Amino acid sequence: METPPTQSASTPLQDQKLVKTAFGRGLVVRLRPCGTQEVRLLEVDESTKEERVASEQFGGRDSDIMYTTDELDSVDPVVGDDVICSVGRGRVAKIVSVKIVKRGEENAVAEAGQAGADGDKDDDGEQTRQPNEQPKQIRELLKYEVELTSWRLAGRSKVKCYMYKSALQVVRKKMLSEMNAQERVEFAQRQKISAVKVFKDKQHQHALNLYAGAVDSVRFVQHDANSSNETRADLIEVMVTCSNNAATCCAQLGRWPEAAKFAQNALILLDALIDKKGLNIHTILTSEEKDGGCGLCDAKLFGEWRVKSYIMIARSLAEKKDYSGAIEILRRARNIIVEYCAPVDGGENRGSIELPSDVATCIPDTDAATKASIARLRVQDKELRRLMTSCMEHKKAEKKKEKQRAQAMFGSPLSSGKTDAAADVDDATGEEKKENTTPPHSPSLRGGAGVRSRNGEEDGGNKFETPL
């Protein structure tokens, strides 16, 4: 132990270790030139304040920084911790318990006496250990499965190693600014998994924070030569799904403007991906997982996910009472559903969103993933129709109110005119029906052009025409 050194050059550590100290867990942040470690305490307890001030390690100051030249032990690793070992840096994926059986020494047999020479017997007199056989010593140790993150193999292959606690050193997790593209995508995927769990518990605000954090972590990823096509494909998947799920959380919280923004972000990515159909990233997204792909299909990518975004935007517009805009958005979503779910023979029902009850008959010879997406599209279609009907009814009601206000303000000379606003909206498309606004044939009001009255007499022209 020694007093804190004077201000001098020090080396910040890239892999800052988490260690055990007399005052709780600590983080080794710097290494002084003389070999002194600068440790920041992570569990500062007020009850140890006087003890810390009196200790030479703190230089008589009430601080959360201690200095020591002793070699401090690492904290015990747990699942999810970042660790370094002799082969690189990784993350603890699993902890398993192993038993090590070791034969006892000769003196252990001698201490057993004659019972050891005759062997051991159970209550029934059965022989459990042969005579003069050395007793077994069983030790139980923990073995850690470490997934190395500093190694990169082709495709989605990962390197795993199994080590004991003595070979591992727990280090601080990387900050977002320290991560490369692959690490950011993996971080976003872990955030997504955590968000799914809390969303099921109806903790919508917490889930929104996790989904939004996942989106922000990969929003400005800068790809380089080390970014594989698999990384780029995973980035698109996590961005689209987290954006749509964040929009759902905003809808549950009644924050419709934010919901529309998240849904629009997902649509931008999917629309850009449509232009790259058949290229490397699209191929990886639609390949099976056993082949290193994401196991998705076009019906999910460009059907289910896009419809979900459109419905969320339409609901946001409906909340703003922009029913015409919502109907237009829902019409686009309906066209997508028809594209993936209409019969392939192009019959009479192709322009309809009424889908067959048997999903397998929608598109013959489809795989299981496509059939599952088509089934979910049918569920989305029901929600779409309910929202379309609601928007049309609200639009009709607004049209009727506008006519009533106009009649109250200006009066209507046509007593036989339409009073039901429902007749002014097309039930199939939600568009207003065009009325013939051209007035019936009326006499000309230009001077000098006589018109004939009902009794057959000719009028001499417009007497009220003013000179130009």
Side-chain angles (χ1 to χ4, degrees):
M1 304 292 180
E2 65 181 49
T3 57
T6 57
Q7 185 68 23
S8 61
S10 58
T11 305
L13 298 177
Q14 182 177 4
D15 295 322
Q16 298 177 342
K17 301 178 181 179
L18 288 168
V19 295
K20 297 177 182 178
T21 70
F23 305 99
R25 291 160 54 95
L27 179 67
V28 181
V29 293
R30 290 179 183 275
L31 183 62
R32 299 284 177 173
C34 56
T36 302
Q37 298 180 89
E38 182 178 328
V39 182
R40 181 181 299 277
L41 298 181
L42 304 178
E43 301 173 350
V44 178
D45 190 354
E46 289 297 326
S47 62
T48 63
K49 178 178 178 180
E50 295 182 1
E51 183 180 355
R52 295 201 313 273
V53 172
S55 174
E56 292 183 352
Q57 291 177 292
F58 296 89
R61 301 189 303 272
D62 176 23
S63 172
D64 59 349
I65 299 293
M66 64 175 290
Y67 302 89
T68 180
T69 57
D70 294 342
E71 188 67 28
L72 301 175
D73 294 333
S74 171
V75 299
D76 297 333
V78 297
V79 174
D81 277 351
D82 284 11
V83 294
I84 54 176
C85 57
S86 58
V87 292
R89 179 175 180 134
R91 184 178 299 105
V92 178
K94 186 189 302 182
I95 302 177
V96 295
S97 177
V98 295
K99 293 182 179 179
I100 299 179
V101 179
K102 183 180 179 181
R103 297 290 183 181
E105 302 295 339
E106 293 182 358
N107 57 359
V109 179
E111 291 177 0
Q114 187 64 31
D118 297 338
D120 292 339
K121 295 183 179 181
D122 57 13
D123 296 338
D124 297 331
E126 297 292 336
Q127 194 80 19
T128 58
R129 183 170 59 86
Q130 298 298 326
N132 297 324
E133 181 181 1
Q134 295 180 351
K136 298 178 180 179
Q137 296 179 357
I138 300 178
R139 295 176 58 195
E140 187 171 350
L141 297 177
L142 295 179
K143 184 177 285 188
Y144 297 83
E145 178 183 314
V146 180
E147 183 179 300
L148 297 178
T149 57
S150 58
W151 289 49
R152 285 289 179 266
L153 300 182
R156 298 182 182 276
S157 302
K158 296 182 181 298
V159 180
K160 294 182 180 180
C161 60
Y162 296 85
M163 294 189 172
Y164 293 109
K165 175 183 173 182
S166 58
L168 300 177
Q169 173 68 60
V170 181
V171 295
R172 172 184 63 81
K173 291 182 179 295
K174 287 186 177 182
M175 293 185 292
L176 201 59
S177 58
E178 300 171 337
M179 297 180 183
N180 57 31
Q182 176 67 29
E183 291 169 337
R184 283 180 177 234
V185 171
E186 291 176 353
F187 173 78
Q189 290 173 334
R190 294 194 298 271
Q191 289 279 94
K192 176 184 172 182
I193 293 173
S194 301
V196 170
K197 294 179 181 179
V198 298
F199 184 83
K200 290 180 180 179
D201 296 334
K202 300 187 182 302
Q203 302 178 28
H204 299 128
Q205 182 60 55
H206 188 190
L208 174 60
N209 294 339
L210 291 173
Y211 282 129
V215 172
D216 291 339
S217 64
V218 294
R219 187 187 299 275
F220 303 108
V221 166
Q222 298 293 330
H223 291 289
D224 53 22
N226 296 324
S227 298
S228 63
N229 288 329
E230 287 79 11
T231 299
R232 299 168 192 261
D234 290 341
L235 186 146
I236 291 177
E237 180 185 3
V238 75
M239 275 283 286
V240 172
T241 54
C242 287
S243 294
N244 274 337
N245 292 342
T248 302
C249 293
C250 290
Q252 294 291 338
L253 298 171
R255 296 156 63 171
W256 295 105
E258 295 180 42
K261 290 180 180 179
F262 279 115
Q264 189 64 42
N265 290 340
L267 273 179
I268 292 173
L269 288 172
L270 292 172
D271 290 341
L273 185 62
I274 291 178
D275 299 333
K276 298 183 179 180
K277 265 190 175 184
L279 299 182
N280 291 337
I281 296 178
H282 175 256
T283 302
I284 293 174
L285 286 169
T286 55
S287 299
E288 297 183 4
E289 294 182 0
K290 63 180 181 180
D291 298 329
C294 298
L296 303 175
C297 60
D298 284 349
K300 190 177 191 72
L301 278 171
F302 308 124
E304 183 184 342
W305 288 355
R306 290 173 71 201
V307 170
K308 182 176 181 179
S309 299
Y310 275 129
I311 290 177
M312 196 60 60
I313 295 174
R315 290 180 63 186
S316 178
L317 291 174
E319 289 293 326
K320 292 165 48 178
K321 297 184 178 181
D322 184 3
Y323 302 113
S324 297
I327 291 173
E328 176 62 27
I329 293 296
L330 292 174
R331 191 179 296 113
R332 298 180 193 175
R334 182 183 60 181
N335 293 337
I336 295 174
I337 294 177
V338 170
E339 177 183 355
Y340 286 96
C341 299
V344 295
D345 56 1
E348 296 178 356
N349 294 328
R350 183 165 183 80
S352 172
I353 56 177
E354 292 290 342
L355 308 179
S357 57
D358 185 6
V359 176
T361 63
C362 293
I363 302 179
D365 301 330
T366 54
D367 56 9
T370 302
K371 291 178 180 179
S373 292
I374 291 175
R376 286 188 285 269
L377 281 171
R378 293 181 67 244
V379 176
Q380 290 178 327
D381 169 60
K382 295 179 181 179
E383 181 183 359
L384 184 149
R385 285 187 289 177
R386 287 194 298 266
L387 186 56
M388 174 76 82
T389 301
S390 175
C391 290
M392 289 169 58
E393 290 176 352
H394 282 89
K395 186 174 180 180
K396 292 175 184 178
E398 285 192 347
K399 184 68 175 179
K400 185 175 181 179
K401 289 181 180 179
E402 289 178 2
K403 283 193 172 185
Q404 290 175 348
R405 284 196 295 266
Q407 290 176 3
M409 185 177 298
F410 302 107
S412 176
L414 302 176
S415 58
S416 61
K418 297 178 182 179
T419 58
D420 186 8
D424 297 314
V425 181
D426 189 346
D427 292 335
T429 63
E431 297 180 346
E432 295 184 8
K433 294 181 178 179
K434 301 297 183 180
E435 296 183 0
N436 185 12
T437 56
T438 304
H441 178 70
S442 58
S444 174
L445 300 180
R446 294 181 57 85
V451 295
R452 189 173 301 277
S453 61
R454 291 183 180 179
N455 56 8
E457 298 180 355
E458 186 177 1
D459 194 352
N462 186 5
K463 299 178 180 179
F464 303 98
E465 185 178 8
T466 56
L468 297 179

